[in-house]
């Protein structure tokens, strides 16, 4: 998963889609605070599960 308008672009990846329990792994530490704010992580996991 990556951003198109931010640097560094990489955010991370989602695992657990096959078993229906998505888990967001943030690889770029500069985005960790954003990922933990509000419902950002839950929104990303929900979107990944729909793909």
């Amino acid at each position: 998963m990556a951003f198109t308008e931010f640097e560094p672009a990489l955010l991370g990846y989602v695992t657990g889609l096959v078993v229906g329990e998505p888990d967001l792994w943030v690889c770029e530490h500069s985005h960790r605070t954003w990922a933990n704010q509000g419902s950002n992580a839950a929104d990303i996991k929900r979107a990944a599960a729909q793909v």
Side-chain angles (χ1 to χ4, degrees):
M1 304 184 85
F3 294 108
T4 57
E5 54 284 320
F6 297 106
E7 284 295 325
L10 176 68
L11 171 64
Y13 59 95
V14 177
T15 62
L17 297 175
V18 174
V19 296
E21 296 179 19
D23 200 15
L24 175 62
W25 293 81
V26 178
C27 297
E28 178 53 56
H29 294 288
S30 64
H31 299 311
R32 187 172 302 279
T33 300
W34 174 86
N36 287 321
Q37 290 176 343
S39 64
N40 290 341
D43 293 343
I44 291 170
K45 290 190 278 186
R46 189 172 21 263
Q50 292 177 358
V51 172

